[in-house]
Amino acid sequence: MQARIKTSLLAALITLAPAVSQALDGAAASATLPLIPLATPATAKLPTTELLPVSKVIAKPAVSEDAFKETDVWGRIRTGYAIPDINNELVQKHVSWYSARPDHMARTTQRASRYLFHVVTELEKRGMPTELALLPFIESAFNPQALSSANAAGMWQFVPGTGKDYNLKQDAFKDERRGILASTDAALSYLQRLYDMFGDWQLALAAYNWGEGNVQKAIKRNQAAGKPTDFESLAELMPAETRNYVPKLQAVKNIVANPAQFSLHLPVIDNQPYFTAVDKTSDIDLAIAAQLAEMSVDEFKALNPQFNRPVITGGEQTQILLPKANAEKFNLNLAQWGRALSSWTTHKITSARERIETLASKFHTTPEVIRQANNIPSKSVLKAGSTILVPKTSSSLHMDIAPEVADNAVVAFEADRGGKRSSNYKQAKGGTAKDAPVSLVKARVPRDAAGKKKTKQN
């Protein structure tokens, strides 16, 4: 029942749609940042070293001609509507709500413009209704950094357990519930499974929100009472959130079908891929990756929100998403870089006596840098068994973080002795609201660090 995550991406040779510079809301909202300088007074410049290959642009299969009959992605969505409409007071209520908030709709559709081509293409590949591409309007307002009170994360709002069911990796370095490719593949696989279970898209959507077990119980209850088992007949048995879920999607469908009717404007989203994928074969600092791509850090994070730490780890299957033009800049700048690509390695805490202040001195940095890189609150101490990021030293300069280390890393901390327990206490592989998006920090690496051969860290 688990779906294999697909990481293939479409049409790298197709002209990139114009970039959209819309900041994210909520925790992800911030002003566009300038490109990170190569060295700052607070961080030492990385030593020159032999260039290590990090990427190549992946060749993509061609998109079918039918996908380009429309010039605008909104048109493709309208053409593929296939879920029966409902029309009730709740639908009208939500249409009125969205119509009265043009600023909200503008922000959401601008964010959606990065992802919709990919989502619609994946839906069409599977023969699924294209209005499902609008579901993140309801789930997250197309904010891949969204995190709910129930710890549901990402554009499609996967809770940790369901994410694991669909092979979405969640560890200290990465949370694929936020990743654009992985989470979209998982969400569509989950929705298809629910449709196969219920034979009805409205019930499948209710189950996506409420859980299939609850929908099955509601169906059995109505069957026992001799009542119909369609969505609207079951609605009175559902919690308010689920009862409003399908009407909300219907409201967005109605607006997308005819935005002018509601005095709204949808930005044109060219019917071309917004991004392409680049293979990563060496560890690379997130800030360096953004700089090589000549992108702001915010825009880089918007396409690569799954990375929880200031270094991107992983093997050959790890990918970075970039607009096509930026992917070309990335490879050109990389060829001329000539320096270390990553300034971070890992350190395992073996004793509760290892304090952050001591570690900072050992690795020639500050406690604030270590806390920020690992999302460790102030007035807290690390617990034995934790694996944290620390700046590289001469002995680790050319070592990547081993995949088994990244996959099993745990960061656990508690209130410092004599203080109150931190409200951010955690002992988990995945992230919390404080984890994502991690602020960018640069490690300090001694200028005299040396080494010739790149090896895997044990």
Side-chain angles (χ1 to χ4, degrees):
M1 293 173 60
Q2 295 190 355
R4 182 171 60 87
I5 300 300
K6 299 183 226 170
T7 55
S8 63
L9 191 58
L10 298 171
L13 300 178
I14 300 172
T15 304
L16 176 70
V20 180
S21 58
Q22 177 65 47
L24 298 178
D25 282 339
S30 62
T32 301
L33 298 179
L35 295 179
I36 302 300
L38 304 187
T40 68
T43 57
K45 186 175 179 180
L46 296 175
T48 300
T49 184
E50 183 179 355
L51 178 64
L52 302 174
V54 71
S55 67
K56 59 181 178 180
V57 177
I58 305 168
K60 302 299 175 187
V63 181
S64 67
E65 292 183 5
D66 288 344
F68 294 94
K69 289 181 179 179
E70 298 284 349
T71 60
D72 188 351
V73 172
W74 299 115
R76 285 174 69 187
I77 294 174
R78 296 180 192 112
T79 300
Y81 279 3
I83 299 175
D85 290 334
I86 58 174
N87 184 16
N88 57 31
E89 291 182 0
L90 287 177
V91 173
Q92 299 308 314
K93 170 187 172 183
H94 295 303
V95 166
S96 297
W97 190 93
Y98 287 116
S99 300
R101 292 164 175 81
D103 290 347
H104 169 80
M105 291 297 291
R107 287 191 298 271
T108 302
T109 53
Q110 289 283 27
R111 284 197 294 269
S113 66
R114 299 182 179 104
Y115 318 120
L116 273 178
F117 179 92
H118 173 72
V119 176
V120 173
T121 300
E122 292 301 307
L123 285 166
E124 290 175 344
K125 282 182 181 179
R126 298 167 180 247
M128 296 171 72
T130 51
E131 61 260 58
L132 293 173
L134 305 176
L135 197 58
F137 267 94
I138 316 305
E139 289 288 352
S140 63
F142 275 97
N143 181 353
Q145 298 288 4
L147 186 72
S148 77
S149 58
N151 203 24
M155 191 165 70
W156 297 94
Q157 289 289 280
F158 275 95
V159 295
T162 308
K164 290 177 182 177
D165 289 343
Y166 285 86
N167 296 330
L168 296 178
K169 184 176 292 186
Q170 301 159 60
D171 57 45
F173 290 89
K174 180 188 296 184
D175 188 346
E176 288 184 336
R177 295 179 298 160
R178 297 186 177 98
I180 307 306
L181 302 186
S183 71
T184 296
D185 182 74
L188 302 194
S189 295
Y190 186 26
L191 286 164
Q192 184 65 62
R193 174 179 169 271
L194 293 171
Y195 175 75
D196 293 342
M197 180 181 297
F198 295 105
D200 181 292
W201 278 114
Q202 292 173 359
L203 293 181
L205 287 164
Y208 188 89
N209 178 258
W210 194 25
E212 60 253 47
N214 290 320
V215 174
Q216 288 170 331
K217 290 176 184 177
I219 289 173
K220 290 178 181 179
R221 182 171 175 179
N222 266 24
Q223 285 175 336
K227 296 180 180 179
T229 58
D230 60 283
F231 174 80
E232 293 194 80
S233 298
L234 295 173
E236 63 181 13
L237 302 178
M238 298 175 180
E241 179 181 325
T242 308
R243 191 164 57 248
N244 282 272
Y245 194 69
V246 174
K248 282 184 180 180
L249 181 61
Q250 182 69 55
V252 176
K253 279 179 59 176
N254 292 351
I255 290 171
V256 170
N258 191 355
Q261 178 183 344
F262 306 101
S263 301
L264 292 171
H265 171 74
L266 301 180
V268 173
I269 303 177
D270 289 346
N271 192 22
Q272 302 176 52
Y274 184 87
F275 54 75
T276 187
V278 172
D279 272 336
K280 182 211 72 65
T281 56
S282 299
D283 287 357
I284 183 170
D285 288 358
L286 193 149
I288 291 176
Q291 183 170 348
L292 291 176
E294 298 185 20
M295 298 171 68
S296 72
V297 170
D298 281 351
E299 182 67 14
F300 185 89
K301 285 183 178 181
L303 292 177
N304 301 278
Q306 68 272 34
F307 300 118
N308 287 337
R309 294 294 183 262
V311 59
I312 300 172
T313 65
E316 294 183 357
Q317 294 182 342
T318 301
Q319 296 177 323
I320 298 170
L321 299 187
L322 300 171
K324 182 187 173 187
N326 296 92
E328 293 169 354
K329 292 174 182 177
F330 179 90
N331 286 302
L332 178 62
N333 290 330
L334 177 65
Q336 303 174 38
W337 182 248
R339 311 176 200 192
L341 293 165
S342 170
S343 52
W344 296 96
T345 188
T346 57
H347 173 77
K348 189 163 187 177
I349 305 299
T350 58
S351 168
R353 295 181 180 179
E354 286 190 276
R355 300 186 63 83
I356 294 174
E357 293 76 12
T358 305
L359 291 171
S361 177
K362 178 179 178 180
F363 291 99
H364 311 289
T365 187
T366 66
E368 290 72 22
V369 166
I370 291 181
R371 288 187 185 277
Q372 189 177 359
N374 296 280
N375 295 316
I376 304 168
S378 60
K379 298 182 180 179
S380 59
V381 293
L382 289 162
K383 300 183 73 174
S386 294
T387 298
I388 63 169
L389 281 179
V390 294
K392 285 183 174 180
T393 62
S394 58
S395 62
S396 59
L397 184 61
H398 300 287
M399 295 181 182
D400 277 356
I401 296 170
E404 58 270 22
V405 173
D407 290 346
N408 296 291
V410 173
V411 179
F413 49 81
E414 61 187 353
D416 202 349
R417 182 175 300 176
K420 296 181 180 179
R421 181 172 294 275
S422 169
S423 60
N424 291 315
Y425 170 81
K426 66 177 181 179
Q427 185 171 0
K429 294 181 180 179
T432 68
K434 295 293 183 183
D435 284 322
V438 66
S439 299
L440 292 174
V441 291
K442 293 182 77 174
R444 291 182 180 175
V445 179
R447 290 181 180 272
D448 60 350
K452 296 293 183 182
K453 187 177 180 181
K454 176 189 174 190
T455 58
K456 286 288 183 183
Q457 179 174 331
N458 292 326

